[in-house]
Amino acid sequence: NAGVTQTPKFQVLKTGQSMTLQCAQDMNHEYMSWYRQDPGMGLRLIHYSVGAGITDQGEVPNGYNVSRSTTEDFPLRLLSAAPSQTSVYFCASSYSSAGGGGNTIYFGEGSWLTVV
Amino acid sequence: AQSVAQPEDQVNVAEGNPLTVKCTYSVSGNPYLFWYVQYPNRGLQFLLKYITGDNLVKGSYGFEAEFNKSQTSFHLKKPSALVSDSALYFCAVRGNSNSGYALNFGKGTSLLVTP
């Protein structure tokens, strides 16, 4: 059982480049989300999905796109990278969130992104 | 909005001493509260959660947390700290339906346990 798998672990991008951070989970979780972690700011929600075909914006969605074509995968796309997007990105998943009674959310190992 | 606050950026404890990492919450309705730990260059690992029931919640690695409704607190505790407990600790609260009940995190508290 691999849990939540993120790739790549480390990436350096030039300003203006695009890229996709991959996230996959093998726990049949309906709910998936992306957070970014910045020093002194905790984790902030970028986008989330409550099931295949359904996505929505979180607290800091600008500059990012997501899609959810399958239950297992939830890629995060940076459209035109900017230095402000230098951060650590975490993908997370849990069982149904709606009225989910506080289901535990499981996190991937993170993707360290630097935009120069 | 559902939110938590971690008032201490860093907590220093000597090995063998008890440790407390503080968290206060602000919610409408009943809170669903969580603690996670992050080791350097790693993801977040779940420690424990409070949903309902006993105010003292036991979790992984010997950690426990006490839910206090009157003080709106959910402090993380351990009776005897280990050097290996040194890490970044996050308190979180389940958000509202407008975020799909995503977790809202505090800013984190760095715990340093010295030998």
Side-chain angles (χ1 to χ4, degrees):
Chain A
N1 189 342
V4 181
T5 303
Q6 291 182 234
T7 57
K9 179 97 172 175
F10 300 99
Q11 183 72 47
V12 178
L13 280 180
K14 293 183 179 179
T15 297
Q17 286 184 318
S18 63
M19 77 157 298
T20 300
L21 299 178
Q22 301 291 345
C23 176
Q25 53 88 12
D26 61 359
M27 297 175 282
N28 202 31
H29 284 171
E30 293 184 6
Y31 181 86
M32 297 186 73
S33 56
W34 278 101
Y35 288 85
R36 59 177 289 173
Q37 181 183 20
D38 301 292
M41 302 187 73
L43 281 78
R44 294 179 292 169
L45 182 68
I46 304 172
H47 284 285
Y48 67 96
S49 168
V50 299
I54 306 169
T55 64
D56 209 339
Q57 296 181 350
E59 180 185 357
V60 289
N62 292 340
Y64 307 95
N65 271 356
V66 292
S67 60
R68 185 92 180 271
S69 57
T70 67
T71 299
E72 294 77 21
D73 300 298
F74 190 46
L76 177 72
R77 184 167 178 81
L78 280 70
L79 308 173
S80 178
S84 61
Q85 294 179 302
T86 294
S87 187
V88 185
Y89 292 85
F90 289 101
C91 181
S93 74
S94 72
Y95 289 109
S96 173
S97 65
N103 287 312
T104 299
I105 293 181
Y106 296 92
F107 286 81
E109 289 289 291
S111 296
W112 273 253
L113 177 66
T114 301
V115 183
V116 298
Chain B
Q2 318 288 77
S3 65
V4 292
Q6 296 179 242
E8 302 157 317
D9 291 335
Q10 182 161 323
V11 171
N12 298 318
V13 177
E15 188 174 31
N17 284 356
L19 69 87
T20 298
V21 183
K22 296 180 180 178
C23 174
T24 59
Y25 66 88
S26 175
V27 302
S28 57
N30 294 320
Y32 290 1
L33 296 159
F34 299 77
W35 276 101
Y36 285 81
V37 59
Q38 183 183 29
Y39 298 100
N41 298 321
R42 301 296 300 277
L44 276 72
Q45 297 181 28
F46 169 75
L47 281 178
L48 52 81
K49 66 182 177 183
Y50 173 82
I51 306 302
T52 186
D54 291 340
N55 290 339
L56 186 64
V57 180
K58 294 188 181 298
S60 305
Y61 313 123
F63 284 93
E64 59 189 26
E66 185 174 8
F67 173 73
N68 188 316
K69 188 172 183 178
S70 63
Q71 297 185 5
T72 62
S73 66
F74 188 56
H75 300 333
L76 182 70
K77 299 181 179 184
K78 188 174 183 181
S80 179
L82 300 173
V83 172
S84 57
D85 292 329
S86 298
L88 188 58
Y89 290 81
F90 288 99
C91 181
V93 63
R94 194 184 76 161
N96 294 319
S97 58
N98 60 6
S99 69
Y101 300 101
L103 292 183
N104 296 328
F105 286 86
K107 294 184 178 182
T109 298
S110 179
L111 174 66
L112 179 63
V113 182
T114 53

